[in-house]
Amino acid sequence: METTRVSLEKKVLSENDRIAANLREEFHQRGILCLNFISSPGSGKTSLLECTLAGFHPATRVGVLTGDIQTDNDARRLARYGFPVQQITTAGCCHLDARMIEKSLKLWNLDELDLLLIENVGNLVCPASYNLGEHAKVVVLSVTEGEDKPLKYPATFHKARAVILNKIDLLPYVPFNLDLARQNIRAMNPDAAIIETSCTATKGLSDWREWLENAQAEVRSPVAV
Amino acid sequence: METTRVSLEKKVLSENDRIAANLREEFHQRGILCLNFISSPGSGKTSLLECTLAGFHPATRVGVLTGDIQTDNDARRLARYGFPVQQITTAGCCHLDARMIEKSLKLWNLDELDLLLIENVGNLVCPASYNLGEHAKVVVLSVTEGEDKPLKYPATFHKARAVILNKIDLLPYVPFNLDLARQNIRAMNPDAAIIETSCTATKGLSDWREWLENAQAEVRSPVAV
């Protein structure tokens, strides 16, 4: 029974990997940077995306896919910035998968995009197992969650290309040790960029934008990817 | 393929339900109140359990099982209060299941317990699908996570017998509307108790203890369960 389950899970994951590889190739051909944002519920992914969109020139060729088990709240929040946004409602499923992305992207002309931002379902565990064809995973950790989370959710932090330490405006009010958090992230992932932000106090957003611009430049460069 | 997956998932869940039913019967026979604590990572489940244990008389017959994907940090934190604690390390699995509980309880003499507190893996989605034989699910929501979470994670809030709104000491610093949060919880679950707490500022803990005592009385009463 357990063996059947594991082998089936492998089959599901390899099917996902196949679709994700196609998506990645498509993004690569078109020079699209695709980012997959992963975090616990309520860490501030949507707020970070709002700040990011708000900082873009209206001509920026960016699209957003936002996943939730239920509600289209996030899509409505994000649509206010004038860029194309689609909600993916997973109806119970705890993560986005490559097929959902493939299906949503059929509604868009990819030639009109340079940047695709995917906000995953709020869950620090399962989304890390499902590749969506992204160029990089961005993990958001709010300082209210505690500095031990990288050790408790090692796979997710290990796969991150950037870790956003968000809500740093709350640091005076919570028992969060920034140095220890950095040390714990480094223990799981020596190479990830670590960027401190506050979307409500608009702190650290220039560091985040710089990281984003570098990632875009890397995808456009013929030597990269 | 999808059909096979769904039917296998059903099989896994019904096997889980079978073990959970045995556990529930065992708890019932012995008059043990078993609570299953579910929340996002970093909502304060461990802190709430620390406050709860700290308030108990040393003779209280309570045991704690605490689940994490990795690390035994929480078990070490909780063991300081002198009551029996076991860490369940799921090694990648995003939730506790009934078999893990059954296996852990083999190490204890259940005749020595009146209360079993189970801290699930930090995840607001998957743990709600796996019954652990508990008398009630207690969902913890930190006010830093936003008042929309009950709408986005409906199954979890729907199954809660009590919802703890935690970290209320942070209310002056976060955009969290308590009335709207209560309204959203009520929309998913008209009957759940809603209890406001802060473990760092020790607020609302007497309300929580009162709820706990009532739940224990209910399990001990011959007419209940």
Side-chain angles (χ1 to χ4, degrees), chain A residues 42 74 122 144 152-153 167, chain B residues 74 122 144 149 152-153 167:
Chain A
D74 288 355
T144 62
K152 286 187 168 183
Y153 301 87
K167 305 195 189 182
Chain B
D74 288 355
T144 64
K149 295 304 167 290
K152 286 188 169 185
Y153 302 87
K167 305 195 189 183

Side-chain angles (χ1 to χ4, degrees), chain B residues 183-200:
Chain B
Q183 197 178 308
N184 290 342
I185 296 166
R186 284 277 162 267
M188 294 302 115
N189 188 329
D191 303 319
I194 303 176
I195 303 164
E196 299 172 16
T197 59
S198 162
C199 298
T200 51

Side-chain angles (χ1 to χ4, degrees), chain A residues 201-218:
Chain A
T202 60
K203 281 181 184 171
L205 294 173
S206 55
D207 294 340
W208 160 240
R209 284 194 199 108
E210 194 185 320
W211 184 90
L212 193 58
E213 279 162 23
N214 287 339
Q216 281 198 274
E218 205 181 292

Side-chain angles (χ1 to χ4, degrees), chain A residues 13 16-17 38 95 125-131 137 155-156 159, chain B residues 92:
Chain A
L13 282 173
N16 187 78
D17 281 345
I38 297 176
H95 58 270
V125 193
C126 317
S129 300
Y130 291 80
N131 208 308
K137 289 179 174 63
T156 303
K159 291 179 181 172

Side-chain angles (χ1 to χ4, degrees), chain B residues 105-150:
Chain B
L105 291 182
K106 285 198 174 125
L107 304 175
W108 283 347
N109 179 0
L110 287 187
D111 289 331
E112 293 171 2
L113 288 186
D114 292 326
L115 178 60
L116 178 63
L117 306 174
I118 304 177
E119 180 182 4
N120 221 308
V121 176
N123 181 338
L124 211 45
V125 192
C126 317
S129 301
Y130 290 81
N131 208 308
L132 307 179
E134 72 269 7
H135 177 253
K137 289 177 174 64
V138 176
V139 173
V140 182
L141 174 67
S142 150
V143 301
T144 64
E145 293 170 59
E147 65 283 290
D148 57 343
K149 295 304 167 290

Side-chain angles (χ1 to χ4, degrees), chain B residues 1 8 29-30 41 51 54 69 76-77 89 92 101 122 129 132 138 152 163 170-171 180 195 218 221 223:
Chain B
M1 170 72 192
L8 190 70
Q29 293 295 334
R30 290 179 162 85
C51 288
I69 290 176
R76 283 189 283 119
R77 276 172 67 182
T89 308
I101 304 303
S129 301
L132 307 179
V138 176
K152 286 188 169 185
V163 176
L170 296 177
L171 279 174
L180 185 55
I195 303 164
E218 202 180 294
S221 142
V223 289

Side-chain angles (χ1 to χ4, degrees), chain A residues 16 20 23-24 27 34 36 96-99 101 118 120 127 130-134 137:
Chain A
N16 187 78
L23 288 169
R24 186 178 297 103
F27 299 149
C34 173
N36 178 2
L96 293 179
D97 64 31
R99 194 186 293 277
I101 304 303
I118 304 177
N120 220 309
Y130 291 80
N131 208 308
L132 307 179
E134 71 270 7
K137 289 179 174 63

